[in-house]
Amino acid sequence: MKEVLEIGGRRLDSRFFLGTGRYPNPFVQNEAIRESEAEVLTFAIRRVNLEVPREDTILQHVKAEDFVFLPNTSGAKNADEAVRIARLAKASGLSDWIKVEISVNAKTLLHDPVETLKATERLVNEGFVVLPYTSDDPVLCKRLEETGAAAVMPGAAPIGTGLGLLNPYNLSLIIEEACIPVIVDAGIGTASDVVQAMELGADGVLLNTAVAKARDPVKMAKAMKYAIVAGRSAYLSGRISKKRYATASSETGDFPGEG
Amino acid sequence: MKLMINGKPEETTAGTVAELVESYGLEEALVVAEVNGKIVYREQWNGIRIQSGMKIEIVHFVGGG
């Protein structure tokens, strides 16, 4: 039986959520998306540049029917701005999913927990499928769940840092407590970070920079895809416990020695 | 007619929101418009007259994580 992830009533075969920013060019981006086999793609909302209104847009290169679009509210500094961006995104008719992302500190881009909770509550009430990006705070993640979030997306480390899982203990608590999917979002550096997140029991991983800024983004997208599968399988298989001393893999009894 | 588009003062001869969007060649593009802080859907664009001093936002999707 195939193991399926379900968010907001939508079944997902892939646990890989991929961002669409910072790729060297649209061709590499498209190849990376194809290789990743991701079903959920994230985007941001910005003003059209009226000096070059018809410049290349990301969606020209992506077939809408193949993906679930997860627009984010990046740039929003409070709940009001996030709600506004979410409504604009929904008005496109592309998606009613929204990644609430409210950052106030330009250096860390860490989210504002109070505004994130407020925005999540309001958007849930307006019928959005809300996936808030949050810190790795187990209590906040539970509050977001109670508010009606469709999934929670705690960060492994600050956005774009590639530092990996800074607090695996907290992430494991979030996963243990959650009754909704937990998607580890942001701060991933390489495939082993993804494996670690999935081995903790995360339901999926969202990343962008680790693929887009890798020397070979397409190959890295492939590595991340396999890391998700490997980590998930290991999690479901139940790892052995750690021991201080060796245990031989073969029985010692009938060794063909002398005599 | 003088108005604010995407936070900048602009002049236009467009009579409606539909004509304004067309003046930028964006009629086929996936853009969302807001007039004076309120979202206006594509099917409403023809019916909304441009008035002096209007605040208009035209947004679209860009790459992001």
Side-chain angles (χ1 to χ4, degrees):
Chain A
M1 197 182 78
K2 201 158 190 188
E3 204 215 355
V4 173
L5 172 62
E6 195 173 314
I7 295 179
R10 165 93 187 211
R11 291 161 62 92
L12 300 167
D13 289 319
S14 165
R15 293 168 181 272
F16 193 175
F17 293 29
L18 187 59
T20 58
R22 304 172 67 85
Y23 289 82
N25 61 59
F27 175 77
V28 169
Q29 172 173 292
N30 259 13
E31 284 301 294
I33 291 171
R34 192 183 53 75
E35 193 63 73
S36 74
E37 295 180 41
E39 278 177 86
V40 179
L41 299 180
T42 59
F43 295 91
I45 301 281
R46 291 291 179 269
R47 285 170 166 165
V48 172
N49 178 359
L50 297 173
E51 311 288 315
V52 256
R54 299 185 69 178
E55 70 185 338
D56 218 21
T57 63
I58 167 79
L59 285 167
Q60 278 170 248
H61 305 281
V62 176
K63 259 202 215 154
E65 59 272 25
D66 294 345
F67 300 98
V68 178
F69 290 123
L70 176 56
N72 66 40
T73 66
S74 66
K77 302 224 176 305
N78 55 49
D80 286 341
E81 287 179 8
V83 167
R84 176 172 173 238
I85 298 292
R87 288 175 181 159
L88 285 166
K90 193 178 182 181
S92 72
L94 266 189
S95 178
D96 58 0
W97 286 35
I98 192 76
K99 167 178 165 177
V100 171
E101 180 177 345
I102 303 174
S103 303
V104 282
N105 185 323
K107 201 154 92 181
T108 63
L109 294 177
L110 289 174
H111 83 133
D112 182 319
V114 178
E115 296 297 314
T116 299
L117 191 62
K118 276 194 226 164
T120 299
E121 187 167 24
R122 284 169 61 186
L123 291 168
V124 166
N125 287 336
E126 290 189 22
F128 285 84
V129 175
V130 187
L131 296 85
Y133 161 66
T134 141
S135 61
D136 54 12
D137 179 339
V139 178
L140 178 63
C141 284
K142 203 62 193 171
R143 290 289 301 272
L144 288 164
E145 177 182 318
E146 288 161 4
T147 299
V152 282
M153 305 207 293
I159 296 168
T161 59
L163 289 170
L165 277 60
L166 293 181
N167 195 339
Y169 175 79
N170 266 24
L171 286 173
S172 72
L173 282 182
I174 291 166
I175 291 161
E176 195 179 312
E177 295 288 316
C179 303
I180 53 174
V182 177
I183 311 297
V184 172
D185 175 6
I188 296 293
T190 185
S192 55
D193 300 333
V194 170
V195 172
Q196 193 190 2
M198 296 307 291
E199 282 180 347
L200 287 177
D203 295 280
V205 170
L206 194 170
L207 58 87
N208 185 344
T209 311
V211 165
K213 301 302 268 183
R215 194 173 65 234
D216 184 339
V218 180
K219 200 168 268 183
M220 189 58 94
K222 189 177 186 176
M224 297 300 194
K225 169 180 69 181
Y226 289 139
I228 285 175
V229 174
R232 182 71 185 169
S233 293
Y235 168 72
L236 294 174
S237 306
R239 62 155 296 152
I240 61 162
S241 55
K242 293 181 182 179
K243 291 180 188 147
R244 183 167 173 80
Y245 298 111
T247 313
S249 310
S250 309
E251 299 296 325
T252 46
D254 289 326
F255 182 74
E258 285 179 37
Chain B
M1 203 96 72
K2 287 185 179 175
L3 56 168
M4 292 292 279
I5 309 178
N6 288 357
K8 286 184 193 152
E10 298 274 346
E11 282 211 41
T12 184
T13 54
T16 64
V17 172
E19 285 172 27
L20 181 72
V21 170
E22 210 178 313
S23 73
Y24 291 109
L26 291 168
E27 65 278 9
E28 300 284 323
L30 187 74
V31 295
V32 179
E34 208 185 57
V35 176
N36 294 336
K38 209 171 154 228
I39 291 170
V40 290
Y41 291 88
R42 199 169 279 264
E43 52 272 23
Q44 303 173 290
W45 288 356
N46 266 318
I48 299 173
R49 307 287 313 165
I50 297 292
Q51 285 160 29
S52 182
M54 265 182 169
K55 277 189 183 167
I56 296 181
E57 293 278 343
I58 305 173
V59 302
H60 65 161
F61 288 96
V62 300

